[in-house]
Amino acid sequence: MDYLKEYRNWCASDALDAEERAELAAIAGDPAEIEERFYCELEFGTAGLRGVIRMGTNGMNVPVVRRATQGLADYIRGIDGGAARGVCIAYDSRRFSERFARETACVLAANGVRVRLFSTLHAVPQLSFAVRHQGCIAGVVITASHNPKKYNGYKVYWSHGGQAAPEQAAEIFACIRKVPFFTARSCDYDAAVQDGRIGLIGAEEDEAYYAATKSVLLRPELLKTRGGSLPIVYTPLHGAGNIPVREILKQAGLSRVYVVPEQELPDPEFPTVAAPNPEDPGAFRLAMALAEEKGATVILATDPDSDRLGVAVKKRDGQWSVLTGNQIGCILLHHILSERRAAGTLPDNGVVVKSIVSSRLADAICERNGVELINVLTGFRFISEKIDAFEKSGEKTFLFGFEESFGFLAGGFSRDKDAICAAMLAAEACVCYGERGMTLYDALQEIYKTYGYYREKVTSYTLEGKAGMERIAACMEELRRHPLTEAAGISVCAVEDYAENCRTRSDGTRERIGLPKSNMLRFLLEKGAWVVVRPSGTEPKLKLYIGANDASEAALERQLAALFDACDGMLRERLGL
C-alpha cells in the first residue's frame, strides 16, 4: 500500500467531518506516524477488526467501520434469505462504541439488511444468544474486550452464535477489500428507526437470556434458601456487565451483592485501572478493600464486554488469592461434574471442550468422572463450532468449555465466553462449598489433593507497530528453523507445528496433528510439561504458555519457575528485548 497516496486520498475526502480532518492535518509533518496509520489496513480475522482508535486505514474509525459493514452487507446479500434474516448489533462501554454500532446499523439498513440493535450497551454473551434467539444470519459487537482504552474493535458472529470461522472470515474480508473507502451506502439513523429498518431490542431479549442462563444452575433451590448468606463483591470494571451480572445473581437468589462504586458505571477511560482486565490482579485493588468492609470472601470481576470473568478468594490466613483462568475453569468444571454425578444427571455422552493451551488438570478431572474431553485451538470460536456440531448431530451433550484466558461457558445457548453465566455458577459453587464449611480456595486445594498439582504460567511480549510485528514473525520463523530440544534440563519429546499440522517426535517420526492450521508451536516435554509459543490474534503480542504437574506442590513450583526462566530468556533474546 502506498501510504502517502492513501493519506492524501483521506485528506481530500469530503466524507470526513471537521474533527476527522483536523486529526489527519495534525500529522502532516510526521512521515513515521503517517506510515504507521496507512502502511496497511486492519486485518479482518476470526476476531473481526481490532485496532487503536485513530484515523487511517490501520485504525478503528468511522470510515473503516462503514467500509467493513458494506463488505459484510455484500456478503450477506449473496446468501439466499440472508438480508431478510438480518444482523443483531451490540456494543460495550468503549470510546465510539455506540457511534460505531449506529454506523454499522445505518450501512446495513441502507443495503436492505434487516437490523436488530440493542438500545443500550450489552455484553458479548447477550449478543451471541440474541443472534440465535432472533434468528439472525449474523451479529456484530463493537468491542475490544479487555484491551487498553485506546483500542476498539468490530467482531462478527454467525447464525450459530459463535464468531465467524476462519474460512468465512476470509470470504468476508475479500468482500470488504472490494469496497473502496468512502463508498459505503448509509442512511439517516433516526429515519431508519422510525420506519422499522432498524429495530431496537432490549428488556424482552434480556429476560429470555436470563431464563436460559438460570437453566444451567445445578442447585437452584439451595441458592433460593441459602443465597442470602453469601456476601459477594462484584466489579464490572466500568463495563457492560454491571446490569446483567447483578440481575442474574439477584434472580438466582444471591441478595448480598456489593458493587464497587468507583467501578460501577460505564466509563471508556477506565480511570481506576491500568487496563480493564480481570486477568490483572491490580484490577481487584478497590474490590478487595470493599470485601474487607463487607466481610466477603469472594470477589467477581468482568471485563468491559463481560465475556471474561476474574475471581479472587480469601484464604484462611486472611490474604487474598487472585485465581488464574485455569483455576477458575477447573473449579467450575469440577463443580458441574460432581453436582451432576451426585444428582444422577451426568449424561453418558457428555463432553467438555477446552483450548489446547489450557490446564491439563481438566483432563484429569474429566478422566476421573468418565467424561470425554476435547482439545481445540486457541480461540473460543473453535469451542462454539464444536457445540454447534454436537447440537446438529445429537452425538454428544456439551457440558462445559473454557480457555485459560478467563473464558468460560456452560449450557451452550450462548456460543461465546460468558462471564454472566460463569459469575452465577461461581457464586453457586461458593454456596455449595459453604454448606461444607469451605471457601473456593479450600475447594481448589481439595481438587489438587485429589487430582495432583498442576500449574501454568502465561506471559506476553508486546511489540507494537510494523517493526514489532516483523520481529514477532522473525522470532516464530527462527523457532521453526531451530526448535527447542530441551528447557531447564527437561528434554523435548515432540514438537508440534500447527502451521504445518505436523508433530515431529524426538526419534524423527512425523504425524499429522488433526487440528486446523494455526501459527503456533507446542513443545511436549518429559514429565508431562509443555510449552506453547504463538502470536496473539488480536494484539501486537507474542505469547508464551508453560504448564507442568507433579505430586508435590513444592517440586512443581521449582519445575515451573525453571521452565519459565529458560523459555522467557530464550524468547527475549530472539526478540531483542
Side-chain angles (χ1 to χ4, degrees):
M1 179 179 286
D2 185 338
Y3 66 89
L4 287 175
K5 179 181 178 181
E6 195 67 31
Y7 170 66
R8 288 192 288 267
N9 288 342
W10 277 55
C11 289
S13 173
D14 58 8
L16 302 184
D17 62 27
E19 187 176 341
E20 292 168 334
R21 290 177 182 278
E23 183 179 335
L24 290 174
I27 63 171
D30 190 342
E33 181 65 17
I34 294 172
E35 180 180 15
E36 178 60 34
R37 292 182 183 221
F38 288 94
Y39 82 92
C40 69
E41 57 188 74
L42 285 183
E43 288 286 333
F44 186 93
T46 50
L49 303 170
R50 188 173 297 183
V52 176
I53 302 168
R54 61 187 178 188
M55 292 300 291
T57 57
N58 187 28
M60 280 296 297
N61 51 67
V62 170
V64 165
V65 168
R66 286 176 175 167
R67 178 185 186 234
T69 307
Q70 182 64 57
L72 176 62
D74 293 342
Y75 180 80
I76 289 172
R77 290 191 303 166
I79 299 171
D80 187 31
R85 293 181 64 182
V87 177
C88 189
I89 304 170
Y91 59 93
D92 71 1
S93 61
R94 289 179 176 274
R95 290 175 55 221
F96 294 100
S97 282
E98 184 175 6
R99 169 87 185 273
F100 292 161
R102 289 191 174 196
E103 295 286 355
T104 300
C106 289
V107 172
L108 290 170
N111 282 273
V113 179
R114 172 178 173 261
V115 175
R116 291 295 178 266
L117 171 67
F118 276 103
S119 56
T120 58
L121 60 86
H122 273 69
V124 157
Q126 292 174 294
L127 179 281
S128 175
F129 174 84
V131 167
R132 300 176 68 236
H133 190 245
Q134 293 275 333
C136 293
I137 189 71
V140 173
V141 185
I142 306 300
T143 178
S145 191
H146 59 295
N147 283 45
K149 65 181 181 181
K150 66 180 180 178
Y151 285 87
N152 212 329
Y154 181 108
K155 294 171 69 173
V156 174
Y157 289 75
W158 207 243
S159 56
H160 67 298
Q163 292 179 42
E167 299 80 7
Q168 188 175 44
E171 293 171 358
I172 296 171
F173 190 34
C175 289
I176 294 171
R177 299 196 73 171
K178 292 177 183 177
V179 179
F181 281 102
F182 311 113
T183 64
R185 292 186 288 277
S186 190
C187 64
D188 180 75
Y189 174 77
D190 292 329
V193 170
Q194 187 171 1
D195 64 26
R197 286 176 293 165
I198 297 175
L200 301 180
I201 57 176
E204 187 175 335
E205 189 63 31
D206 294 341
E207 288 307 318
Y209 169 79
Y210 295 143
T213 301
K214 288 186 294 183
S215 72
V216 304
L217 283 169
L218 301 153
R219 302 281 296 279
E221 293 307 315
L222 179 63
L223 288 191
K224 291 295 184 183
T225 59
R226 299 290 297 158
S229 66
L230 177 68
I232 297 174
V233 166
Y234 166 61
T235 172
L237 297 178
H238 308 288
N242 182 39
I243 291 175
V245 171
R246 295 169 74 172
E247 182 62 25
I248 199 67
L249 294 178
K250 176 183 175 182
Q251 290 191 20
L254 296 144
S255 57
R256 296 179 64 192
V257 178
Y258 304 99
V259 181
V260 178
E262 301 93 333
Q263 299 171 330
E264 178 180 5
L265 299 180
D267 190 333
E269 295 303 313
F270 308 115
T272 64
V273 291
N277 188 353
E279 299 178 52
D280 178 11
F284 287 85
R285 178 179 57 86
L286 292 173
M288 287 177 181
L290 182 61
E292 293 292 348
E293 177 187 331
K294 301 298 183 181
T297 60
V298 63
I299 299 168
L300 307 176
T302 54
D303 66 343
D305 59 359
S306 204
D307 62 352
R308 284 175 167 83
L309 174 74
V311 178
V313 293
K314 202 169 191 180
K315 300 188 291 185
R316 294 290 179 180
D317 63 4
Q319 299 299 307
W320 286 93
S321 175
V322 178
L323 303 182
T324 68
N326 281 313
Q327 290 172 330
I328 299 167
C330 288
I331 289 172
L332 294 180
L333 172 61
H334 188 264
H335 170 63
I336 291 169
L337 297 189
S338 59
E339 290 293 339
R340 293 195 67 157
R341 179 170 292 284
T345 60
L346 190 61
D348 293 336
N349 66 345
V351 63
V352 171
V353 188
K354 72 173 181 68
S355 66
I356 201 166
V357 298
S358 299
S359 178
R360 288 186 173 180
L361 175 56
D363 300 63
I365 293 171
C366 287
E367 182 178 3
R368 179 76 65 92
N369 284 277
V371 172
E372 180 182 2
L373 183 139
I374 296 175
N375 283 292
V376 296
L377 290 178
T378 302
F380 220 88
R381 64 187 176 275
F382 294 109
I383 296 177
S384 69
E385 287 172 4
K386 289 293 184 183
I387 301 171
D388 189 52
F390 300 153
E391 183 179 74
K392 289 176 178 175
S393 69
E395 180 184 356
K396 302 179 190 298
T397 299
F398 173 74
L399 298 173
F400 186 65
F402 80 98
E403 290 185 320
E404 56 76 33
S405 54
F406 291 66
F408 319 101
L409 179 64
F413 42 83
S414 175
R415 297 290 170 82
D416 204 351
K417 301 180 289 290
D418 189 341
I420 302 167
C421 180
M424 179 190 72
L425 287 174
E428 181 186 51
C430 285
V431 175
C432 289
Y433 280 109
E435 290 293 283
R436 298 170 53 194
M438 299 169 63
T439 66
L440 280 193
Y441 187 80
D442 298 329
L444 181 63
Q445 304 314 305
E446 183 178 80
I447 290 170
Y448 286 144
K449 290 175 182 176
T450 302
Y451 300 100
Y453 290 91
Y454 290 74
R455 290 283 195 283
E456 299 76 31
K457 191 172 180 65
V458 182
T459 194
S460 58
Y461 310 88
T462 301
L463 294 96
E464 294 189 342
K466 179 182 178 183
M469 298 304 290
E470 290 172 349
R471 287 162 66 188
I472 290 173
C475 180
M476 290 298 295
E477 181 59 30
E478 176 68 13
L479 269 177
R480 287 190 165 94
R481 286 199 305 266
H482 304 288
L484 292 177
T485 57
E486 65 84 28
I490 305 174
S491 298
V492 172
C493 305
V495 178
E496 296 179 340
D497 186 343
Y498 286 79
E500 299 295 329
N501 201 359
C502 181
R503 179 185 299 111
T504 304
R505 300 191 180 278
S506 55
D507 62 6
T509 57
R510 293 164 64 88
E511 58 191 6
R512 293 186 65 78
I513 296 171
L515 288 175
K517 289 188 176 182
S518 176
N519 187 13
M520 181 174 80
L521 291 167
R522 183 165 76 146
F523 303 93
L524 303 179
L525 285 70
E526 293 178 344
K527 304 179 182 179
W530 52 273
V531 174
V532 168
V533 181
R534 59 177 284 270
S536 169
T538 57
E539 301 172 85
K541 294 180 177 181
L542 185 68
K543 303 194 76 171
L544 168 66
Y545 308 78
I546 294 173
N549 62 276
D550 203 291
S552 162
E553 184 175 17
L556 171 59
E557 294 294 350
R558 289 192 297 270
Q559 181 185 162
L560 192 68
L563 280 171
F564 177 79
D565 288 345
C567 294
D568 176 64
M570 177 271 297
L571 286 179
R572 287 185 177 278
E573 180 179 353
R574 297 191 184 198
L575 290 169
L577 297 176

